[in-house]
């Protein structure tokens, strides 16, 4: 999908930021096009996970990345040295970097890596603790590098020799969006020419699943996992855990145009705020999240009426969906554009969600399609927001607002502009 933008400058000053590569490894598919096609079907990817059943956890299901040829991306030695989180990120990055066609002579100190993760190395720490907790003298030699939260980003930088800023962001479920937004800022204001940015998590583990279940944050529909993730639905009872990674290649718009790159779209606006209210619950009136949306729209140099649709965070939890609906209503002054929510299909990738949803939102915006929310049969929020249910809705190609909200009251929003 290609397009040509006038290069110009960003409305708030600095460079415009083009998206020239996208790669994903997620429950809906192992490419952006596969994930997009599954999204349009509104069919959940949740399924029973044997090890969760064997551990007798309250929740027996999750959304997992479908099998793919790991050998096509990593040597056996590389795969042994890193954990699944880093594996997924490196594979998604390879699918983004290669098609972007970055010039071989580009200064490596002007290319950075910006990655978000909500869970970080916790699954690796859990695994080594359960297997070697009674024998600490026998811990595997790769324990520290496998459990470091910044390992995915650093391994990615090492693989390609990128020597610009290499930063890991952890803002809970907003981590992937934060990474993309901060990467765009670094390009906009001249710190980097190119950034390989995104998010990743792989947390379908005994302790993580047990801990979230203990909070009663996850759906317990063990008998019907495909119906469990139902953002904004009246019968929602919690989110569905998922794993996955999504990586976007960002670069200066003028440079991308000059080299004739395929441009998938643009990161036009970004903002972040904090509820400063509760460690796991959102601010009920949605004001801080709504302010984040308004700031992102303003940062893009447009108005709310220019937003073609909203990609909601839409976790399928009672309080979060309700607060987000109120926030959207506040942002758009009661004139909600069409609203969709990817997690009905993919589940919740935690730190990977925002990056995956940004990639999918760009495709949807450019093609003028708003996917339906999976499992949406009726919603108490329908009087506040224009939820798309049943079948996809056709709209004119336009900017899309993509929301991510995390524990701790972390709010991050992106405004994405499609290529023509």
């Amino acid at each position: 999908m290609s397009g040509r933008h006038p290069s110009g400058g960003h409305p708030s000053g600095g460079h415009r930021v083009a998206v020239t590569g996208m790669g994903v490894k997620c429950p809906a598919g192992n490419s952006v096009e596969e994930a997009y096609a599954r999204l349009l079907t509104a069919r959940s990817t949740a399924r029973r996970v044997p090890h969760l059943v064997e551990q007798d956890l309250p929740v027996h299901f999750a959304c997992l990345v479908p099998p793919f040829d790991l050998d096509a991306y990593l040597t056996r030695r590389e795969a042994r040295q890193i954990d699944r989180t880093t594996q997924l990120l490196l594979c998604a990055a390879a699918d983004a970097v290669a098609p972007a066609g970055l010039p071989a002579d580009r200064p490596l100190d002007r290319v950075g890596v910006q990655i978000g993760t909500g869970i970080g190395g916790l699954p690796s720490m859990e695994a080594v603790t359960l297997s070697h907790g009674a024998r600490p003298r026998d811990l595997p030699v790769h324990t520290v590098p496998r459990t470091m939260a910044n390992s995915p980003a650093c391994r990615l930088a090492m693989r390609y020799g990128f020597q610009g800023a290499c930063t890991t962001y952890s803002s809970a479920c907003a981590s992937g969006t934060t990474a993309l937004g901060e990467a765009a800022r670094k390009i906009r204001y001249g710190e980097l020419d190119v950034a390989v940015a995104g998010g990743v998590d792989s947390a379908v583990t005994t302790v993580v699943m047990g801990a979230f279940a203990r909070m009663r944050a996850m759906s317990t529909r063990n008998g019907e996992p495909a119906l469990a993730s139902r953002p904004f639905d009246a019968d929602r009872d919690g989110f569905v855990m998922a794993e996955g990674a999504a990586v976007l290649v960002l670069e200066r718009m003028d440079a991308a145009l000059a080299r004739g790159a395929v441009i998938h779209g643009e990161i036009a606006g970004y903002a972040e705020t904090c509820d400063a209210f509760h460690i796991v619950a959102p601010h009920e009136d949605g004001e801080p999240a709504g302010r984040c949306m308004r700031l992102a729209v303003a940062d893009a140099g447009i108005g709310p009426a220019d937003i073609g649709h909203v990609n909601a965070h839409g976790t399928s939890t009672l309080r979060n969906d309700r607060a987000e609906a109120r926030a959207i209503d506040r942002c758009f002054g009661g004139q909600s554009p069409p609203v969709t929510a990817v997690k009905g299909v993919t589940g919740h990738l935690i730190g990977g969600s925002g990056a995956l949803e940004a990639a999918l939102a760009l495709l949807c915006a450019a093609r003028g399609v708003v996917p339906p929310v999976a499992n949406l049969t009726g919603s108490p929020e329908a009087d506040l927001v224009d939820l798309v249910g049943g079948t996809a809705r056709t709209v004119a190609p336009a900017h899309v607002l993509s929301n991510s909200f995390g524990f701790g009251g972390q709010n991050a929003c992106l405004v994405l502009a499609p290529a023509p």
Side-chain angles (χ1 to χ4, degrees):
M1 187 172 68
S2 64
R4 291 292 180 266
H5 291 263
S7 56
H10 191 272
S12 65
H15 303 286
R16 293 173 65 183
V17 180
V19 178
T20 56
M22 300 192 293
V24 308
K25 290 288 178 278
C26 77
N30 287 313
S31 72
V32 180
E33 289 291 348
E34 283 182 12
Y36 173 79
R38 182 59 180 259
L39 191 62
L40 295 186
T41 70
R43 289 188 295 110
S44 171
T45 58
R47 61 180 176 82
R48 183 174 178 269
V49 180
H51 80 261
L52 300 180
V53 179
E54 293 166 4
Q55 293 292 330
D56 194 28
L57 293 176
V59 177
H60 296 167
F61 57 93
C63 298
L64 302 178
V65 175
F68 63 93
D69 184 8
L70 189 62
D71 292 342
Y73 296 90
L74 303 169
T75 67
R76 297 293 176 89
R77 183 169 182 268
E78 286 176 318
R80 285 196 305 269
Q81 291 180 345
I82 60 180
D83 67 356
R84 182 163 176 80
T85 303
T86 304
Q87 289 175 1
L88 291 173
L89 183 83
L90 292 180
C91 295
D95 289 345
V97 171
L102 298 175
D105 61 351
R106 185 179 295 276
L108 294 177
D109 62 349
R110 299 291 300 167
V111 184
V113 175
Q114 308 285 291
I115 300 299
T117 178
I119 302 295
L122 178 60
S124 293
M125 183 62 76
E126 173 190 327
V128 77
T129 300
L130 291 175
S131 61
H132 291 78
R135 307 185 310 280
R137 293 176 64 89
D138 299 328
L139 286 170
V141 68
H142 295 297
T143 297
V144 171
R146 285 169 66 95
T147 58
M148 292 176 356
N150 65 327
S151 281
C154 293
R155 292 282 188 177
L156 174 53
M158 291 166 56
R159 183 164 224 215
Y160 294 98
F162 299 148
Q163 297 175 358
C166 179
T167 313
T168 298
Y169 300 90
S170 187
S171 50
C173 304
S175 298
T177 296
T178 301
L180 289 175
E182 295 299 330
R185 280 181 174 172
K186 288 182 181 297
I187 294 172
R188 186 190 299 180
Y189 298 118
E191 294 180 43
L192 296 171
D193 294 332
V194 177
V196 181
V200 63
D201 267 315
S202 181
V204 185
T205 70
T206 301
V207 171
V208 175
M209 294 290 288
F212 276 108
R214 179 67 173 159
M215 292 176 62
R216 298 183 179 179
M218 293 196 296
S219 172
T220 56
R221 281 185 166 89
N222 290 315
E224 45 186 9
L227 302 180
S229 187
R230 43 198 321 120
F232 298 103
D233 188 70
D235 197 28
R236 63 188 184 263
D237 71 327
F239 80 92
V240 175
M241 183 67 77
E243 63 170 359
V247 174
L248 280 64
V249 176
L250 313 181
E251 61 180 298
R252 284 174 46 171
M253 178 70 77
D254 56 350
L257 290 169
R259 69 184 185 86
V262 173
I263 296 174
H264 300 282
E266 175 182 0
I267 295 187
Y270 166 65
E272 56 180 341
T273 63
C274 182
D275 285 5
F277 171 69
H278 192 280
I279 197 62
V280 295
H283 202 292
E284 292 183 0
D285 68 5
E287 170 51 31
R291 181 164 55 88
C292 189
M293 296 180 207
R294 293 193 298 272
L295 289 171
V297 171
D299 187 51
I302 61 175
D306 297 307
I307 297 294
H309 81 276
V310 174
N311 175 75
H313 185 57
T315 59
S316 187
T317 56
L318 182 64
R319 291 185 178 182
N320 283 274
D321 287 2
R322 180 176 296 160
E324 183 172 12
R326 289 170 176 163
I328 293 171
D329 183 57
R330 284 177 175 274
C331 177
F332 293 95
Q335 301 296 315
S336 167
V339 175
T340 190
V342 171
K343 294 180 183 68
V345 171
T346 66
H348 194 345
L349 282 65
I350 311 299
S353 286
L356 171 64
E357 291 166 19
L360 292 172
L362 267 179
L363 261 65
C364 293
R367 297 173 184 182
V369 175
V370 185
V373 180
N375 297 319
L376 183 66
T377 58
S379 174
E381 285 76 41
D383 60 334
L384 295 175
V385 293
D386 180 13
L387 294 164
V388 177
T391 59
R393 188 181 304 180
T394 301
V395 297
H399 291 76
V400 55
L401 174 66
S402 190
N403 294 335
S404 293
F405 309 124
F407 280 1
Q410 306 254 212
N411 308 312
C413 299
L414 291 170
V415 173
L416 305 159

